[in-house]
Amino acid sequence: MPRTHPFEEISPWVEAPADLRAPLEGDLAADVVVIGGGYTGLSTALALRAQGADVVVLEADFAGSGASGRNAGHLTPTIGKDVPTLLRLFGKERTSRLVRFADAAVAHTEKTILEHGIDCDYAPTGNLMAGVHPKQEKRLRRAAEAARWLGAEVRFVPAGETRERGIPPAFRFGVLEERGGALHPGRYAMGLRRAALAAGVRIFEGSTVEALEDGPKVRARTRRGSVRAPHAVLATNAYTRSTGRKPRAVVPLRVSLFETEPLAPAQLDALGWRGREGVYTAHEVLESYRLSAQGTIVGGSKVVRYAFGSALPEPYDPGAFDAIEGAFRERFPGLADVRVARFWGGWIGLTLDFLPLLGVEGDHGNVFHGIGFCGHGVAQATLMGAMLAERIQGREHEWEGALRRRTLSWPPEPLRWAAAKLFNGALSALDRRTDRRIRALAGV
Ligand SMILES: Cc1cc2nc3c(=O)[nH]c(=O)nc-3n(C[C@H](O)[C@H](O)[C@H](O)COP(=O)(O)OP(=O)(O)OC[C@H]3O[C@@H](n4cnc5c(N)ncnc54)[C@H](O)[C@@H]3O)c2cc1C
């Protein structure tokens, strides 16, 4: 397809590192073989190595080239579709554990950044789930109340306070998640990679696992070699089908982002977004916006796509790029002369209940997976690493119980495609109605 939009093949956050590790050649043995070198795989490897395990990570491209190097960098305790939905599905006790798990995931990630001295521009600004139309106020007030009642560190921020804080006026009021903030996702991934290498984790890049053979010792096969280990970890999230496994609980969705050119000091002053809170809108398929440390605005989402057969379609998606730039123009009318410098895309792993999965599979119960972060994995994939490491060592992590539940499976194709299309279509129709109401209010 001819490229009409400025496009990054991976993202502006990462490129192949200068010390790229060689592909796997020949047959090796290890205590644990981890497949996938994103936040989940690297965090698992680090946690296992700290207990003395001999760990090999096999990464198809370079560590950090998946969603971990492509995301928007909101370090957020958002969990599930929303708290009221979680309450309906799981009741008070369970939901309370889930929201506290999500807060703990943020705290654990902040600790990880400190512990390994990772310079990733982390700013604990908090994130605002923002109402963009007055009709959303009641729902957001209720959501904030419910989340607080369950122990989450959030509060409703009324319109007066959002103005005082200098939050751009399109974001009228909202639920402020006081824990978390925003970081440079690529530097965070590369920091974990460096820490893992320094700790003695053996990482092989350009090493796609093509098959995983079950046995008392699992064998992970790449084109030119294999690793045999008593335990394997699938840390491949949206990409899991590429390993030959066919997860029924997680489907990949394509998500697109943009970055503007850096704002001039006068434009930043006029914008007045002093607290630099991350923002996501209360749409069904949210829009996200944040200021980066480089003075650019990074935003997007809004349009997600499922491809038949849980394929990973190419990340160049001009329709989505137009939609996310269009939304940005509407929310930031004062920045009409700021150019969008680049677009990119990646894949998230979606479960039917919007919660991540920690599970075990294989004939010998020794293939573990930590997948399905539903677009909230910066914090949750990091904590998942610690949880997987405990599980492999035969212990239960304090938060494992929060995620234990009956796993819901997506239906097989072609029903899966039809269901995804129907669901996505319904959510987009609701969002189009919200957007029409916003325009009517603005007299556009
Ligand atoms: C556009 C976008 C925006 C997002 N924004 C946010 C956000 O602001 N906040 C937030 O919390 N979350 C966000 N997310 C989600 C977050 O990035 C993910 O949940 C998280 O990075 C998942 O980490 P992971 O390690 O599980 O998966 P990944 O980072 O995807 O890592 C999986 C790795 O496995 C490798 N791999 C795949 N197949 C194989 C194979 N067969 N053999 C070997 N290796 C293989 C891949 O190359 C990849 O490196 C976003 C995601 C996207 C795509």
Side-chain angles (χ1 to χ4, degrees), residues 36 38-40 59-60 67-68 71-74 209 239 242 348 373 375-378:
Y39 301 146
T40 305
E59 163 55 48
S68 301
N71 65 73
H74 297 266
V209 171
Y239 303 83
S242 71
I348 62 169
F373 299 100
H376 306 316
V378 176

Side-chain angles (χ1 to χ4, degrees), residues 256-297:
S256 302
L257 295 178
F258 71 84
E259 181 179 30
T260 65
E261 61 186 346
L263 272 59
Q267 286 168 323
L268 276 171
D269 276 354
L271 188 59
W273 194 352
R274 295 182 307 280
R276 292 175 166 250
E277 300 83 350
V279 169
Y280 7 86
T281 61
H283 285 88
E284 297 297 327
V285 183
L286 57 81
E287 295 166 21
S288 73
Y289 302 100
R290 57 166 290 207
L291 270 169
S292 73
Q294 294 69 39
T296 62
I297 292 180

